[in-house]
Amino acid sequence: MVAITLPDGSVRQFDGAVSGAAIAAAIGPGLAKAALAMSVNGKLVDLSTTLATDATVRFVTRKDPEALELIRHDAAHVLAEAVQALFPGTQVTIGPAIEHGFYYDFARNEPFTPDDFAAIEAKMKAIVAANAAFVREEWDRDEAIAFFKGKGEHYKAEIIQDLPREETISLYRQGGWVDLCRGPHMRGTGDVGTAFKRLKVAGAYWRGDHRNAVLQRIYGTAWRDEKELKAYLTMLEEAEKRDHRRLGREMGLFHLQEEAVGSVFWHPKGWRLWRTAENYVRRRLDAEGYVEVKTPQLLDRSFWEASGHWDKYAGAMFTATPRAEDAEEHKHGRILAIKPMNCPCHVQIFKQGIKSYRDLPLRLAEFGACHRYEPSGALHGIMRVRAFTQDDAHIFCTEDQITEETKSFIALLMSMYRDFGFTEVVIKFSDRPDVRAGEDAVWDKAEGALKAAVEAAGHPYTLNPGEGAFYGPKLEFVLRDAIGRDWQCGTLQVDFVLPERLDAEYVAADGSRRRPVMLHRAILGSFERFLGILIEQYAGRFPLWLAPLQVVVATITSEADAYARKVAAELAAAGLQVETDLRNEKINYKVREHSLAKVPLIAVVGRKEAEQDTVALRRLGGETQEVLALADAVARLRAEAMPPDLRPAGR
RNA sequence: GCCGACGUAGCUCAGCGGUAGAGCAACUGAUUCGUAAUCAGUAGGCCCCCGGUUCAAAUCCGGGCGUCGGCACCA
């Protein structure tokens, strides 16, 4: 007898070994039809799996969260079959389910062309319609290797060779096609459904290593039903509409051009946005006991050799030498490097004079402009650039102060993110990478201290093994935007290495000389990137305090021109960014134009307003307007435009 | 850096061997108008750059540069 326990606690007895499909059928025809796979004692397996011993079973239907992963994984197999059917000689490699969809990496000499894609998608549909059953087979390891080698599937053979010896080698058949796969799968290709779409093709390195061959990766998306698919495609469209590169141009915030690859030309409105953000950050740091500094752009190569950066990052650093042949640097062949980061400079400030334990923690902040020669393929709008400004700071402290400094940093960061409109923040803890500076004992200490600190701060965090900086472990702060995308911005890194390398020390209470610990930290990360994220978060429709142009005073008739100027002057005197629109155009035209430009408020004035000393306020996206006495409107907008940290009510 | 696609007016794009096009924007004029496009007219181009093929190149070929989508990278 085999006893099967179901999620509701009930137990069903079977005479002998029984398949999942048979159990489902025994429970009811509805379930038999809906079950795609099952969870046996918590492990997801094929529905066809035979159970010979007692077990707890839960059936997975299309409604369950696991279904998405199954659909996507199966869709990857369908894609692979389609490609091999259409392009004989193409080798298959791997094809996992990923967030929102799936991909499959193929080895083929000729690139896939747009014409191929329609054929691939059509073939996929045909394979799904044929609904061939997924059949699992377990093979002997060496036979499997020989089998794939015999088919010319060298990547598959390599995968098997690299599997641990004790691993079961399973193959899945779907009709005439077979693939190496761990499983599980649904019942047949038909279970993939129709809510999938091939999306894009891209190069990808075999096993993610840039020294390996380049494969062709075809991406697709797959969902439970058409409605979910449509919602996803709509989200992609929404993301495209929010694209900071597009909005940056449309709203006149910035531009990029060929002669300055990776550097941003900030236009007046974009720079206004930057200044608003920078002023805000500066006020918060001032209030938090940071002291602001400014350090050199150009430093001698030997400086970076001492800090250890030259060794690891010379290839990503810009260097500069004077053109004038009589310049000393030129004669002696000295190389100056444009700073790629601020920390070594801050250590130099720390080292001026003798520091006492009473000076700690010393929090040196800098809006530091840095340059890095980022690989050309990494550049992306203003999000990934070669010239950027960090909201950087280094906290010099004792080991005992790490916990307290980390706690107050996390509190500051969370509060600032909230002010910028981000409420969902995830913390990741990254520990030692393979290539690193410093002794293991030092790393033990640094990781221990940081972990203790983040736990003391009381925020949950996830582990990100091996992703730390080369000089120390770090916390990474990832924020989720309005349409569900994640952006890593803030960071806090513990560093015992650099103070040692650059010989920073302080005098302890007992008169001995000690090394300070350095905490590298940033909240926005880089202004360029963060402003790009803000543009996308708000789709250009900034809250009033961030909007670079806050109010347009638009006239209905030229008789109101003088009054419009007065309204604008009073708003400007109250600290608002305001423009007038006195053009001889219809109010409809003006409203449309300023709405498209995403100006938060339009103050409409006509003959009536001029006579009564009022304004008709219209909010972006609103369908009504509010007529207010001018003085009231000024007072109200002044309050509303106040940056969150200056609002009297507090946060 | 790697794979692929793309680069034509300010923007979005058509044209793909035979005199460079459209819509929107811009400019000029008329219209003084009450909350998301008033009408008419005008102007606007090293067709990314350099070379080649050809009687003739935006169009075909080669090489650069840049952008886009991924991959790799991200102190």
Side-chain angles (χ1 to χ4, degrees):
Chain A
M1 293 287 280
V2 175
I4 301 298
T5 308
L6 297 168
D8 63 2
S10 67
V11 178
R12 287 190 178 243
Q13 302 286 346
F14 293 89
D15 294 340
V18 61
S19 76
I23 300 168
I27 295 170
L31 184 63
K33 202 171 158 206
L36 300 173
M38 60 180 172
S39 163
V40 176
N41 300 328
K43 188 169 174 265
L44 201 61
V45 299
D46 299 340
L47 202 61
S48 58
T49 306
T50 302
L51 304 180
T53 55
D54 294 358
T56 299
V57 169
R58 181 171 57 85
F59 289 97
V60 173
T61 69
R62 229 171 166 78
K63 293 199 301 280
D64 295 307
E66 295 100 325
L68 262 184
E69 208 167 320
L70 290 166
I71 290 166
R72 289 168 183 168
H73 182 198
D74 288 10
H77 277 241
V78 169
L79 167 63
E81 181 185 346
V83 167
Q84 287 203 315
L86 293 168
F87 307 97
T90 301
Q91 290 186 64
V92 287
T93 68
I94 57 160
I98 53 172
E99 191 182 17
H100 304 144
F102 60 93
Y103 68 77
Y104 210 111
D105 284 349
F106 299 97
R108 176 175 182 246
N109 290 332
E110 300 75 44
F112 294 110
T113 69
D115 290 342
D116 299 336
F117 297 141
I120 291 170
E121 204 161 313
K123 186 75 188 168
M124 286 178 74
K125 285 189 174 132
I127 292 166
V128 168
N131 193 20
F134 284 108
V135 181
R136 181 185 171 94
E137 297 171 4
E138 293 186 1
W139 281 52
D140 171 76
R141 182 191 183 84
D142 294 332
E143 282 175 21
I145 291 171
F147 172 70
F148 281 108
K149 275 191 177 159
K151 295 206 315 168
E153 297 282 4
H154 301 290
Y155 288 94
K156 284 289 180 192
E158 190 181 326
I159 292 169
I160 301 171
Q161 251 149 4
D162 290 349
L163 286 174
R165 288 224 71 96
E166 63 277 12
E167 188 95 3
T168 307
I169 308 297
S170 59
L171 274 65
Y172 277 81
R173 245 175 236 290
Q174 57 198 67
W177 192 77
V178 65
D179 193 12
L180 172 76
C181 183
R182 181 186 300 124
H185 280 281
M186 298 186 291
R187 298 166 301 191
T189 55
D191 285 337
V192 169
T194 53
F196 67 89
K197 188 170 159 58
R198 185 207 55 77
L199 284 183
K200 55 196 170 192
V201 68
Y205 299 106
W206 166 235
R207 298 200 151 155
D209 190 325
H210 69 276
R211 290 165 301 195
N212 290 344
V214 176
L215 307 173
Q216 295 189 65
R217 174 171 300 178
I218 297 179
Y219 283 94
T221 188
W223 299 85
R224 293 181 181 84
D225 54 47
E226 304 285 347
K227 205 171 132 203
E228 282 187 352
L229 172 65
K230 185 147 187 291
Y232 175 67
L233 296 176
T234 305
M235 195 280 283
L236 288 185
E237 278 170 30
E238 177 60 22
E240 207 175 308
K241 277 189 225 149
R242 288 167 180 252
D243 191 312
H244 74 282
R245 293 165 297 193
R246 171 188 179 139
L247 290 173
R249 185 182 57 240
E250 287 175 0
M251 298 175 72
L253 302 177
F254 59 81
H255 86 268
L256 299 158
Q257 69 185 51
E258 256 188 68
E259 292 85 349
V261 174
S263 297
V264 184
F265 289 79
W266 287 99
H267 296 194
K269 288 204 175 72
W271 190 245
R272 167 70 54 190
L273 175 65
W274 177 306
R275 290 208 305 166
T276 302
E278 182 177 321
N279 291 342
Y280 167 82
V281 174
R282 182 172 279 127
R283 285 194 304 272
R284 297 302 309 268
L285 293 183
D286 284 351
E288 206 73 13
Y290 287 77
V291 286
E292 189 174 327
V293 297
K294 199 76 180 175
T295 61
Q297 289 297 322
L298 285 170
L299 294 100
D300 196 90
R301 163 187 176 159
S302 61
F303 179 79
W304 300 106
E305 285 169 349
S307 73
H309 291 97
W310 189 265
D311 251 10
K312 195 168 186 326
Y313 294 110
M317 286 169 69
F318 288 100
T319 56
T321 45
R323 293 291 305 271
E325 289 184 7
D326 55 351
E328 289 304 308
E329 286 85 352
H330 189 99
K331 281 186 212 157
H332 299 113
R334 291 177 74 185
I335 295 175
L336 296 171
I338 305 174
K339 73 172 168 187
M341 55 189 337
N342 308 299
C343 30
C345 292
H346 291 181
V347 176
Q348 305 314 305
I349 292 181
F350 180 87
K351 284 172 67 180
Q352 296 299 302
I354 296 173
K355 293 292 179 295
S356 150
Y357 71 96
R358 295 171 190 276
D359 296 321
L360 306 184
L362 179 63
R363 309 183 189 91
L364 295 181
E366 176 169 3
F367 295 105
C370 296
H371 290 74
R372 296 178 186 172
Y373 187 74
E374 301 287 4
S376 56
L379 301 176
H380 177 86
I382 64 172
M383 299 273 207
R384 189 84 183 271
V385 285
R386 289 181 176 154
F388 56 94
T389 302
Q390 295 173 304
D391 63 322
D392 202 7
H394 295 91
I395 302 173
F396 294 83
C397 65
T398 67
E399 286 176 36
D400 293 343
Q401 290 168 334
I402 294 175
T403 302
E404 198 49 44
E405 287 302 309
T406 300
K407 272 170 66 178
S408 52
F409 171 71
I410 293 176
L412 173 66
L413 169 139
M414 293 293 179
S415 159
M416 285 174 56
Y417 284 168
R418 210 176 310 127
D419 283 351
F420 280 115
F422 299 99
T423 49
E424 272 187 82
V425 183
V426 171
I427 304 180
K428 293 195 292 186
F429 179 93
S430 299
D431 60 14
R432 66 193 78 186
D434 291 339
V435 180
R436 58 181 182 263
E439 304 290 319
D440 280 355
V442 173
W443 276 90
D444 291 341
K445 202 160 66 176
E447 286 171 3
L450 190 58
K451 195 170 281 191
V454 67
E455 276 163 12
H459 284 277
Y461 64 92
T462 58
L463 214 56
N464 207 14
E467 294 294 318
F470 79 94
Y471 49 71
K474 61 183 179 185
L475 297 179
E476 287 162 346
F477 300 88
V478 180
L479 39 88
R480 176 156 292 180
D481 76 7
I483 56 171
R485 297 171 303 177
D486 290 339
W487 306 93
Q488 188 185 312
C489 293
T491 180
L492 180 134
Q493 307 169 4
V494 181
D495 185 359
F496 287 87
V497 173
L498 201 60
E500 178 81 34
R501 282 196 106 118
L502 297 178
D503 196 28
E505 52 183 27
Y506 67 94
V507 179
D510 63 3
S512 65
R513 302 240 163 181
R514 297 268 179 82
R515 292 275 175 232
V517 180
M518 265 176 96
L519 303 180
H520 306 242
R521 42 109 300 163
I523 293 176
L524 311 192
S526 100
F527 274 83
E528 285 79 359
R529 180 174 154 80
F530 193 78
L531 296 180
I533 293 167
L534 271 186
I535 292 167
E536 302 207 355
Q537 157 82 355
Y538 288 112
R541 302 155 89 98
F542 296 111
L544 197 59
W545 75 281
L546 284 170
L549 173 59
Q550 297 168 315
V551 191
V552 167
V553 183
T555 50
I556 291 172
T557 147
S558 57
E559 287 173 55
D561 285 2
Y563 180 65
R565 287 198 192 91
K566 176 187 162 194
V567 170
E570 291 197 16
L571 287 167
L576 286 135
Q577 293 299 318
V578 53
E579 286 179 4
T580 54
D581 184 351
L582 310 182
R583 292 174 303 171
N584 179 13
E585 295 290 351
K586 287 177 131 176
I587 194 62
N588 283 302
Y589 181 89
K590 295 185 183 182
V591 165
R592 175 180 159 81
E593 194 169 272
H594 300 301
S595 298
L596 288 174
K598 301 179 172 58
V599 180
L601 290 155
I602 303 174
V604 175
V605 295
R607 190 181 302 149
K608 204 162 60 187
E609 287 76 13
E611 281 165 4
Q612 300 172 353
D613 233 27
T614 57
V615 294
L617 272 188
R618 181 195 168 98
R619 284 180 190 270
L620 179 56
E623 298 192 343
T624 57
Q625 47 280 337
E626 190 179 8
V627 179
L628 291 173
L630 176 56
D632 291 345
V634 171
R636 196 191 283 194
L637 296 186
R638 184 215 302 267
E640 193 180 326
M642 199 71 82
D645 62 312
L646 297 180
R647 282 176 200 154
R651 266 183 293 281

